[in-house]
Coordinates of all heavy atoms in Angstrom, one line a residue:
M15 N 103.0 111.6 90.9 CA 102.1 110.4 90.7 C 101.9 109.8 92.1 O 102.8 109.7 92.9 CB 102.7 109.4 89.7 CG 101.9 108.2 89.5 SD 102.6 107.1 88.3 CE 101.3 107.0 87.2
D16 N 100.6 109.5 92.3 CA 100.2 108.8 93.6 C 100.8 107.4 93.6 O 100.8 106.7 92.6 CB 98.7 108.8 93.7 CG 98.1 110.1 93.9 OD1 98.8 111.0 94.4 OD2 96.9 110.3 93.6
S17 N 101.2 107.0 94.9 CA 101.6 105.7 95.0 C 100.4 104.7 95.0 O 99.3 105.2 95.3 CB 102.4 105.5 96.4 OG 101.5 105.6 97.4
P18 N 100.6 103.5 94.7 CA 99.4 102.5 94.7 C 98.7 102.5 96.1 O 97.5 102.4 96.2 CB 100.1 101.2 94.3 CG 101.3 101.5 93.6 CD 101.8 102.8 94.2
M19 N 99.5 102.6 97.2 CA 99.0 102.5 98.5 C 98.1 103.7 98.7 O 97.0 103.6 99.2 CB 100.0 102.4 99.6 CG 99.5 102.2 100.9 SD 100.8 101.8 102.1 CE 100.4 102.9 103.4
A20 N 98.6 104.9 98.4 CA 97.8 106.1 98.5 C 96.5 106.1 97.7 O 95.4 106.4 98.2 CB 98.6 107.4 98.1
T21 N 96.6 105.5 96.5 CA 95.4 105.4 95.7 C 94.4 104.4 96.3 O 93.2 104.7 96.3 CB 95.8 104.9 94.3 OG1 96.7 105.8 93.7 CG2 94.6 104.8 93.4
R22 N 94.8 103.3 96.9 CA 93.9 102.4 97.6 C 93.3 103.0 98.8 O 92.1 102.8 99.0 CB 94.7 101.1 98.0 CG 95.0 100.3 96.8 CD 95.7 99.0 97.2 NE 96.3 98.4 96.1 CZ 97.6 98.1 96.0 NH1 98.4 98.4 97.0 NH2 98.2 97.6 95.0
I23 N 94.0 103.8 99.5 CA 93.5 104.5 100.7 C 92.4 105.5 100.2 O 91.3 105.6 100.8 CB 94.6 105.2 101.5 CG1 95.4 104.1 102.2 CG2 94.0 106.1 102.6 CD1 96.7 104.6 102.8
D24 N 92.7 106.3 99.2 CA 91.8 107.2 98.7 C 90.5 106.5 98.2 O 89.4 107.0 98.4 CB 92.3 108.0 97.5 CG 93.4 109.0 97.9 OD1 93.5 109.4 99.1 OD2 94.2 109.4 97.0
L25 N 90.6 105.4 97.6 CA 89.4 104.6 97.2 C 88.6 104.2 98.4 O 87.4 104.3 98.4 CB 89.8 103.4 96.3 CG 88.7 102.6 95.7 CD1 87.8 103.4 94.8 CD2 89.3 101.4 94.9
M26 N 89.3 103.7 99.4 CA 88.5 103.3 100.6 C 87.8 104.5 101.2 O 86.6 104.4 101.6 CB 89.5 102.8 101.7 CG 89.7 101.3 101.7 SD 90.7 100.8 103.1 CE 92.0 100.1 102.2
V27 N 88.5 105.6 101.3 CA 87.9 106.9 101.9 C 86.7 107.2 101.0 O 85.6 107.5 101.6 CB 88.9 108.0 101.9 CG1 88.2 109.3 102.2 CG2 90.0 107.7 102.9
Q28 N 86.8 107.2 99.7 CA 85.7 107.6 98.8 C 84.5 106.7 99.0 O 83.4 107.1 99.1 CB 86.2 107.5 97.4 CG 85.1 107.8 96.4 CD 85.6 107.6 95.0 OE1 86.8 107.3 94.7 NE2 84.8 107.9 94.0
R29 N 84.7 105.4 99.2 CA 83.6 104.4 99.3 C 82.9 104.6 100.7 O 81.7 104.6 100.8 CB 84.1 103.0 99.1 CG 84.4 102.7 97.7 CD 84.8 101.3 97.5 NE 85.1 101.1 96.0 CZ 85.7 100.1 95.6 NH1 86.1 99.1 96.4 NH2 85.9 99.9 94.3
Y30 N 83.7 104.8 101.8 CA 83.1 105.0 103.1 C 82.4 106.3 103.1 O 81.3 106.4 103.6 CB 84.1 104.9 104.2 CG 84.5 103.5 104.6 CD1 85.7 102.9 104.3 CD2 83.6 102.6 105.2 CE1 86.1 101.7 104.6 CE2 83.9 101.3 105.6 CZ 85.1 100.9 105.3 OH 85.5 99.6 105.6
R31 N 83.0 107.3 102.6 CA 82.4 108.7 102.5 C 81.1 108.6 101.8 O 80.1 109.2 102.3 CB 83.4 109.7 101.8 CG 82.9 111.1 101.8 CD 83.9 112.0 101.3 NE 84.4 111.6 100.0 CZ 85.7 111.8 99.5 NH1 86.5 112.5 100.2 NH2 86.0 111.4 98.4
E32 N 81.0 108.0 100.7 CA 79.8 107.8 99.9 C 78.7 107.1 100.7 O 77.6 107.5 100.8 CB 80.0 107.1 98.6 CG 78.8 107.0 97.7 CD 79.2 106.2 96.4 OE1 80.1 106.6 95.7 OE2 78.5 105.2 96.2
A33 N 79.1 106.0 101.4 CA 78.2 105.2 102.2 C 77.6 106.1 103.4 O 76.5 106.0 103.7 CB 78.9 104.0 102.8
I34 N 78.4 107.0 103.9 CA 78.0 107.8 105.0 C 77.1 108.9 104.5 O 76.0 109.1 105.1 CB 79.2 108.4 105.8 CG1 80.0 107.3 106.5 CG2 78.8 109.5 106.7 CD1 81.3 107.7 107.0
V35 N 77.5 109.6 103.4 CA 76.7 110.7 102.9 C 75.3 110.2 102.4 O 74.3 110.9 102.5 CB 77.5 111.5 101.8 CG1 76.6 112.5 101.1 CG2 78.7 112.2 102.5
T36 N 75.3 109.0 101.8 CA 74.0 108.5 101.3 C 73.2 107.7 102.3 O 72.2 107.2 102.0 CB 74.3 107.6 100.1 OG1 75.1 106.5 100.5 CG2 74.9 108.3 98.9
K37 N 73.8 107.7 103.6 CA 73.1 107.1 104.7 C 73.0 105.6 104.7 O 72.2 105.0 105.3 CB 71.7 107.6 104.9 CG 71.6 109.1 105.0 CD 72.1 109.6 106.4 CE 71.8 111.1 106.5 NZ 72.5 111.7 107.6
R38 N 73.8 104.9 103.8 CA 74.0 103.5 103.9 C 74.6 103.1 105.2 O 74.3 102.1 105.8 CB 74.7 102.9 102.7 CG 74.0 102.9 101.4 CD 74.7 102.1 100.4 NE 76.1 102.4 100.3 CZ 76.6 103.1 99.2 NH1 75.9 103.4 98.2 NH2 77.9 103.4 99.2
L39 N 75.5 104.0 105.7 CA 76.1 103.9 107.0 C 75.4 105.1 107.8 O 75.6 106.3 107.3 CB 77.6 104.0 107.0 CG 78.3 102.8 106.5 CD1 79.8 103.1 106.5 CD2 78.1 101.6 107.5
K40 N 74.7 104.8 108.8 CA 73.9 105.9 109.5 C 74.7 106.4 110.7 O 75.5 105.6 111.3 CB 72.6 105.3 109.9 CG 71.7 104.9 108.7 CD 70.4 104.2 109.1 CE 69.6 103.8 108.0 NZ 70.2 103.5 106.7
P41 N 74.3 107.6 111.1 CA 74.9 108.1 112.4 C 74.7 107.1 113.5 O 73.6 106.6 113.7 CB 74.2 109.4 112.6 CG 73.8 109.9 111.2 CD 73.5 108.6 110.5
G42 N 75.8 106.9 114.3 CA 75.7 105.9 115.4 C 76.2 104.5 115.0 O 76.5 103.7 115.9
D43 N 76.2 104.2 113.7 CA 76.7 102.9 113.3 C 78.1 102.7 113.7 O 78.9 103.7 113.7 CB 76.6 102.7 111.8 CG 75.2 102.4 111.3 OD1 74.3 102.2 112.1 OD2 75.0 102.3 110.1
T44 N 78.4 101.5 114.2 CA 79.8 101.2 114.7 C 80.5 100.2 113.8 O 79.8 99.2 113.4 CB 79.8 100.7 116.1 OG1 79.1 101.7 117.0 CG2 81.2 100.5 116.7
L45 N 81.7 100.5 113.4 CA 82.5 99.6 112.6 C 83.7 99.2 113.4 O 84.3 100.0 114.1 CB 82.9 100.2 111.3 CG 81.8 100.8 110.4 CD1 82.3 101.7 109.3 CD2 81.0 99.6 109.8
D46 N 84.2 98.0 113.2 CA 85.4 97.5 113.8 C 86.5 97.5 112.7 O 86.3 96.9 111.7 CB 85.2 96.1 114.4 CG 86.4 95.6 115.0 OD1 86.6 95.8 116.2 OD2 87.3 94.9 114.3
M47 N 87.6 98.2 113.0 CA 88.7 98.3 112.0 C 89.2 97.0 111.6 O 89.4 96.8 110.4 CB 89.8 99.2 112.5 CG 89.5 100.7 112.4 SD 91.0 101.6 112.7 CE 90.4 102.9 113.7
A48 N 89.5 96.1 112.5 CA 90.0 94.8 112.2 C 89.1 94.0 111.3 O 89.5 93.3 110.3 CB 90.4 94.0 113.4
E49 N 87.8 94.1 111.7 CA 86.8 93.4 110.9 C 86.7 93.9 109.5 O 86.6 93.2 108.5 CB 85.4 93.5 111.6 CG 84.3 92.6 111.0 CD 83.1 92.7 111.8 OE1 83.1 92.4 113.0 OE2 82.0 93.1 111.2
E50 N 86.7 95.3 109.3 CA 86.7 95.9 108.0 C 87.9 95.5 107.2 O 87.8 95.3 106.0 CB 86.6 97.4 108.2 CG 85.3 97.9 108.7 CD 84.1 97.5 107.8 OE1 84.1 97.9 106.6 OE2 83.2 96.8 108.3
A51 N 89.1 95.4 107.9 CA 90.3 95.0 107.2 C 90.2 93.6 106.6 O 90.5 93.3 105.5 CB 91.5 95.1 108.1
R52 N 89.6 92.7 107.4 CA 89.4 91.3 106.9 C 88.4 91.3 105.8 O 88.6 90.6 104.8 CB 88.9 90.5 108.1 CG 90.0 90.0 109.0 CD 89.5 88.9 110.0 NE 88.5 89.4 110.9 CZ 88.8 90.1 112.1 NH1 90.0 90.3 112.4 NH2 87.8 90.5 112.8
R53 N 87.3 92.1 106.0 CA 86.2 92.1 104.9 C 86.8 92.6 103.6 O 86.4 92.1 102.5 CB 85.1 93.0 105.4 CG 83.8 93.0 104.5 CD 82.7 93.8 105.1 NE 83.0 95.3 105.0 CZ 83.0 96.0 104.0 NH1 82.6 95.5 102.8 NH2 83.3 97.3 104.0
L54 N 87.6 93.6 103.7 CA 88.2 94.2 102.5 C 89.5 93.5 102.0 O 90.0 93.9 101.0 CB 88.5 95.7 102.7 CG 87.3 96.6 103.1 CD1 87.8 98.0 103.6 CD2 86.4 96.7 101.9
N55 N 90.0 92.6 102.8 CA 91.2 91.9 102.5 C 92.3 92.9 102.3 O 93.1 92.9 101.3 CB 91.1 91.0 101.2 CG 92.2 90.0 101.1 OD1 92.8 89.6 102.1 ND2 92.6 89.7 99.9
A56 N 92.4 93.8 103.3 CA 93.4 94.9 103.2 C 94.1 95.0 104.6 O 93.6 94.6 105.6 CB 92.6 96.3 103.0
P57 N 95.4 95.5 104.5 CA 96.1 95.6 105.8 C 95.4 96.6 106.7 O 94.9 97.6 106.3 CB 97.5 96.2 105.3 CG 97.5 95.9 103.9 CD 96.1 95.9 103.4
I58 N 95.5 96.2 108.0 CA 94.8 97.1 109.0 C 95.4 98.5 109.0 O 94.6 99.5 109.2 CB 95.0 96.4 110.5 CG1 94.2 97.2 111.5 CG2 96.4 96.3 110.9 CD1 92.7 97.0 111.5
A59 N 96.7 98.7 108.7 CA 97.2 100.0 108.7 C 96.6 100.9 107.6 O 96.4 102.1 107.8 CB 98.7 99.9 108.5
R60 N 96.3 100.3 106.5 CA 95.6 101.0 105.4 C 94.2 101.4 105.8 O 93.8 102.5 105.5 CB 95.6 100.1 104.1 CG 95.3 100.9 102.9 CD 95.4 100.0 101.7 NE 96.8 99.7 101.5 CZ 97.3 98.6 100.8 NH1 96.4 97.8 100.3 NH2 98.5 98.4 100.7
V61 N 93.5 100.5 106.4 CA 92.1 100.8 106.9 C 92.1 101.9 107.9 O 91.3 102.8 107.9 CB 91.4 99.5 107.4 CG1 90.1 99.8 108.0 CG2 91.3 98.5 106.2
R62 N 93.1 101.8 108.9 CA 93.2 102.8 109.9 C 93.5 104.2 109.3 O 92.9 105.1 109.7 CB 94.4 102.4 110.9 CG 94.5 103.2 112.1 CD 95.6 102.8 113.0 NE 95.5 101.4 113.4 CZ 96.3 100.4 113.2 NH1 97.4 100.7 112.4 NH2 96.1 99.2 113.6
Q63 N 94.3 104.2 108.3 CA 94.7 105.5 107.6 C 93.4 106.1 107.0 O 93.1 107.3 107.1 CB 95.7 105.3 106.6 CG 96.1 106.5 105.8 CD 96.9 107.5 106.6 OE1 97.6 107.1 107.6 NE2 96.9 108.7 106.2
A64 N 92.6 105.2 106.3 CA 91.4 105.7 105.7 C 90.4 106.3 106.7 O 89.8 107.3 106.5 CB 90.7 104.5 104.9
F65 N 90.3 105.6 107.9 CA 89.4 106.1 108.9 C 89.9 107.3 109.6 O 89.1 108.2 110.0 CB 89.1 105.0 109.9 CG 88.0 104.0 109.4 CD1 88.3 102.6 109.4 CD2 86.8 104.4 109.1 CE1 87.4 101.7 108.9 CE2 85.8 103.5 108.6 CZ 86.1 102.2 108.5
R66 N 91.2 107.5 109.6 CA 91.8 108.7 110.2 C 91.4 109.9 109.3 O 91.1 111.0 109.8 CB 93.3 108.6 110.3 CG 93.7 107.9 111.5 CD 95.2 108.0 111.7 NE 95.6 107.1 112.8 CZ 96.7 106.3 112.8 NH1 97.5 106.3 111.7 NH2 97.0 105.6 113.8
I67 N 91.5 109.7 108.0 CA 91.1 110.7 107.0 C 89.6 111.1 107.2 O 89.2 112.3 107.3 CB 91.4 110.3 105.6 CG1 92.9 110.2 105.4 CG2 90.8 111.3 104.6 CD1 93.3 109.5 104.1
L68 N 88.8 110.1 107.3 CA 87.3 110.3 107.5 C 87.1 111.0 108.8 O 86.2 111.9 108.9 CB 86.6 109.0 107.5 CG 86.5 108.3 106.1 CD1 86.1 106.9 106.2 CD2 85.6 109.1 105.1
A69 N 87.9 110.7 109.9 CA 87.7 111.4 111.2 C 88.1 112.8 111.0 O 87.4 113.7 111.6 CB 88.6 110.7 112.2
N70 N 89.2 113.1 110.3 CA 89.6 114.5 110.1 C 88.5 115.3 109.3 O 88.4 116.5 109.4 CB 90.9 114.6 109.3 CG 92.0 114.2 110.2 OD1 92.0 114.3 111.4 ND2 93.1 113.7 109.6
L71 N 87.7 114.6 108.5 CA 86.6 115.2 107.7 C 85.4 115.4 108.6 O 84.4 116.0 108.2 CB 86.3 114.4 106.5 CG 87.3 114.4 105.4 CD1 86.9 113.4 104.3 CD2 87.5 115.8 104.8
G72 N 85.4 114.8 109.8 CA 84.3 114.9 110.7 C 83.2 113.9 110.4 O 82.1 114.0 111.0
L73 N 83.4 112.9 109.6 CA 82.4 111.9 109.3 C 82.3 110.7 110.2 O 81.3 110.1 110.3 CB 82.7 111.4 107.8 CG 82.5 112.5 106.8 CD1 82.9 112.0 105.4 CD2 81.2 113.1 106.7
V74 N 83.4 110.4 110.9 CA 83.5 109.4 111.9 C 84.3 109.8 113.1 O 85.0 110.8 113.0 CB 84.1 108.1 111.3 CG1 83.3 107.5 110.1 CG2 85.6 108.2 111.0
S75 N 84.1 109.1 114.2 CA 85.0 109.3 115.3 C 85.7 108.0 115.6 O 85.1 106.9 115.4 CB 84.2 109.7 116.6 OG 83.3 108.7 117.0
L76 N 86.9 108.1 116.0 CA 87.8 106.9 116.3 C 87.7 106.7 117.8 O 87.9 107.5 118.6 CB 89.2 107.1 115.9 CG 89.4 107.5 114.4 CD1 90.9 107.8 114.1 CD2 88.8 106.4 113.5
E77 N 87.3 105.4 118.2 CA 87.1 105.1 119.6 C 88.1 104.0 120.0 O 88.7 103.4 119.2 CB 85.6 104.5 119.8 CG 84.5 105.5 119.3 CD 84.4 106.7 120.1 OE1 84.7 106.7 121.3 OE2 84.1 107.8 119.5
P78 N 88.3 103.9 121.3 CA 89.2 102.8 121.8 C 88.9 101.5 121.3 O 87.7 101.2 121.0 CB 89.0 102.9 123.3 CG 88.4 104.2 123.6 CD 87.6 104.6 122.4
G79 N 89.9 100.6 121.1 CA 89.7 99.3 120.7 C 89.4 99.1 119.2 O 88.9 98.1 118.8
G80 N 89.8 100.1 118.4 CA 89.7 100.0 117.0 C 88.3 100.2 116.5 O 87.9 99.7 115.4
Q81 N 87.4 100.8 117.3 CA 86.0 101.0 116.9 C 85.9 102.4 116.2 O 86.6 103.3 116.5 CB 85.1 101.0 118.1 CG 85.1 99.7 118.8 CD 84.7 98.5 118.0 OE1 83.5 98.5 117.5 NE2 85.5 97.5 117.8
V82 N 85.0 102.4 115.2 CA 84.8 103.7 114.5 C 83.3 103.9 114.5 O 82.5 103.0 114.3 CB 85.2 103.5 113.0 CG1 84.9 104.7 112.2 CG2 86.7 103.1 112.9
V83 N 82.9 105.1 114.9 CA 81.5 105.4 115.0 C 81.1 106.5 114.0 O 81.8 107.6 113.9 CB 81.1 105.9 116.4 CG1 79.6 106.3 116.5 CG2 81.4 104.9 117.4
V84 N 80.1 106.3 113.2 CA 79.7 107.2 112.1 C 79.0 108.4 112.9 O 78.2 108.2 113.7 CB 78.7 106.6 111.2 CG1 78.1 107.6 110.2 CG2 79.3 105.4 110.5
Q85 N 79.4 109.6 112.5 CA 78.9 110.8 113.1 C 77.8 111.4 112.2 O 77.7 111.2 111.0 CB 80.0 111.9 113.2 CG 81.1 111.4 114.1 CD 80.6 111.2 115.5 OE1 80.1 112.1 116.2 NE2 80.8 109.9 116.0
P86 N 76.9 112.2 112.9 CA 75.9 112.9 112.1 C 76.5 113.8 111.1 O 77.5 114.4 111.4 CB 75.1 113.7 113.2 CG 75.4 113.0 114.5 CD 76.8 112.5 114.3
N87 N 75.9 114.0 109.9 CA 76.4 114.9 108.9 C 76.0 116.3 109.4 O 74.8 116.7 109.4 CB 75.8 114.6 107.6 CG 76.3 113.3 107.0 OD1 77.4 112.9 107.3 ND2 75.4 112.7 106.2
T88 N 77.0 117.1 109.8 CA 76.7 118.5 110.2 C 77.1 119.4 109.1 O 77.8 119.0 108.1 CB 77.6 118.8 111.5 OG1 79.0 118.7 111.1 CG2 77.2 117.9 112.6
L89 N 76.7 120.6 109.2 CA 77.1 121.6 108.1 C 78.7 121.7 108.1 O 79.2 121.7 107.0 CB 76.6 123.0 108.5 CG 76.9 124.1 107.5 CD1 76.5 123.8 106.1 CD2 76.3 125.4 108.0
Q90 N 79.3 121.6 109.2 CA 80.8 121.7 109.3 C 81.4 120.5 108.6 O 82.3 120.7 107.8 CB 81.3 121.8 110.7 CG 82.8 121.9 110.8 CD 83.3 122.0 112.2 OE1 82.5 121.9 113.2 NE2 84.6 122.1 112.4
S91 N 80.9 119.3 108.8 CA 81.5 118.1 108.2 C 81.2 118.1 106.7 O 82.1 117.7 105.9 CB 81.0 116.8 108.8 OG 79.6 116.6 108.5
L92 N 80.1 118.6 106.3 CA 79.8 118.7 104.8 C 80.6 119.7 104.1 O 81.1 119.6 103.0 CB 78.3 118.9 104.6 CG 77.4 117.7 105.0 CD1 75.9 118.1 104.8 CD2 77.7 116.5 104.3
Q93 N 80.9 120.9 104.8 CA 81.7 121.9 104.2 C 83.2 121.4 104.1 O 83.9 121.6 103.2 CB 81.7 123.2 105.1 CG 80.4 124.0 104.9 CD 80.3 125.1 105.9 OE1 80.9 125.1 107.0 NE2 79.5 126.1 105.6
S94 N 83.6 120.7 105.1 CA 85.0 120.1 105.1 C 85.1 119.1 104.0 O 86.1 119.0 103.3 CB 85.2 119.4 106.5 OG 86.5 118.7 106.4
L95 N 84.0 118.3 103.8 CA 84.0 117.3 102.7 C 84.0 118.0 101.4 O 84.8 117.7 100.5 CB 82.7 116.5 102.8 CG 82.5 115.5 101.7 CD1 83.6 114.4 101.7 CD2 81.1 114.8 102.0
E96 N 83.3 119.1 101.2 CA 83.3 119.9 99.9 C 84.6 120.5 99.7 O 85.1 120.4 98.6 CB 82.2 121.0 100.0 CG 82.2 121.8 98.7 CD 81.1 122.9 98.8 OE1 80.5 123.1 99.8 OE2 81.0 123.6 97.8
F97 N 85.3 121.0 100.7 CA 86.6 121.6 100.6 C 87.6 120.5 100.1 O 88.4 120.7 99.2 CB 87.1 122.2 101.9 CG 88.6 122.6 101.8 CD1 88.9 123.8 101.2 CD2 89.5 121.9 102.5 CE1 90.3 124.2 101.1 CE2 90.9 122.2 102.4 CZ 91.2 123.4 101.8
D98 N 87.5 119.3 100.8 CA 88.4 118.2 100.4 C 88.2 117.8 99.0 O 89.2 117.5 98.3 CB 88.2 117.0 101.4 CG 89.1 115.9 101.1 OD1 90.4 116.1 101.3 OD2 88.7 114.8 100.8
L99 N 87.0 117.6 98.6 CA 86.7 117.2 97.2 C 87.2 118.3 96.2 O 87.8 117.9 95.2 CB 85.2 117.0 97.0 CG 84.6 115.8 97.7 CD1 83.1 115.8 97.6 CD2 85.2 114.5 97.2
T100 N 87.0 119.5 96.5 CA 87.5 120.6 95.6 C 89.0 120.6 95.5 O 89.6 120.7 94.4 CB 87.0 122.0 96.1 OG1 85.6 121.9 96.2 CG2 87.4 123.1 95.2
R101 N 89.7 120.4 96.6 CA 91.1 120.4 96.7 C 91.7 119.3 95.9 O 92.7 119.4 95.2 CB 91.6 120.4 98.1 CG 93.1 120.5 98.3 CD 93.5 120.4 99.7 NE 93.0 119.1 100.2 CZ 93.3 118.5 101.3 NH1 94.2 119.1 102.1 NH2 92.9 117.3 101.6
R102 N 91.1 118.1 95.9 CA 91.5 117.0 95.2 C 91.4 117.1 93.7 O 92.1 116.5 93.0 CB 90.8 115.7 95.7 CG 91.2 115.3 97.1 CD 90.4 114.1 97.5 NE 90.7 113.8 98.9 CZ 91.5 112.8 99.2 NH1 92.0 112.0 98.4 NH2 91.7 112.5 100.5
R103 N 90.4 117.9 93.3 CA 90.2 118.1 91.8 C 91.2 119.1 91.3 O 91.5 119.0 90.1 CB 88.8 118.6 91.6 CG 87.7 117.6 91.8 CD 86.4 118.1 91.4 NE 85.3 117.2 91.9 CZ 84.2 117.6 92.5 NH1 84.0 118.9 92.7 NH2 83.4 116.7 92.9
A104 N 91.7 119.9 92.1 CA 92.6 121.0 91.6 C 94.0 120.4 91.2 O 94.4 119.4 91.5 CB 92.8 122.0 92.7

């Protein structure tokens, strides 16, 4: 069974991923992790973990100073995303 913290991180990842794929967050948009943590009323460590997962999927890049930059949706990032979604359903 997933821990409540893991479930919250997964939910954050899902919401940001959806915002990126549907272009609500566009390539080049910059987010500040601390600001996002305040906006979500979530611990910064949890927000950082969610953005690390998104970075591993190729959807964002992590920059110095807690900045996150949305990356263009490439074939590789979309294939990685599809693999991640398929693996989670299994």
Side-chain angles (χ1 to χ4, degrees):
M15 178 177 237
D16 290 337
S17 74
M19 186 168 135
T21 302
R22 288 186 195 118
I23 292 169
D24 288 342
L25 183 58
M26 266 188 240
V27 169
Q28 179 184 0
R29 288 181 178 167
Y30 281 110
R31 182 174 52 208
E32 182 180 306
I34 293 167
V35 171
T36 62
K37 305 286 188 194
R38 286 190 314 249
L39 287 174
K40 296 175 180 32
D43 283 354
T44 302
L45 303 167
D46 181 90
M47 282 192 219
E49 189 175 304
E50 291 300 301
R52 281 190 295 275
R53 188 179 68 78
L54 298 169
N55 195 29
I58 186 77
R60 193 173 294 154
V61 172
R62 188 178 303 116
Q63 178 74 22
F65 281 122
R66 280 187 187 138
I67 292 168
L68 291 165
N70 287 337
L71 293 172
L73 297 175
V74 301
S75 64
L76 304 178
E77 304 295 327
Q81 300 298 301
V82 178
V83 179
V84 177
Q85 297 300 299
N87 292 329
T88 63
L89 179 59
Q90 181 181 0
S91 67
L92 293 175
Q93 286 173 336
S94 177
L95 178 62
E96 181 180 0
F97 172 78
D98 183 60
L99 290 173
T100 302
R101 187 182 57 165
R102 288 176 186 257
R103 288 185 194 135

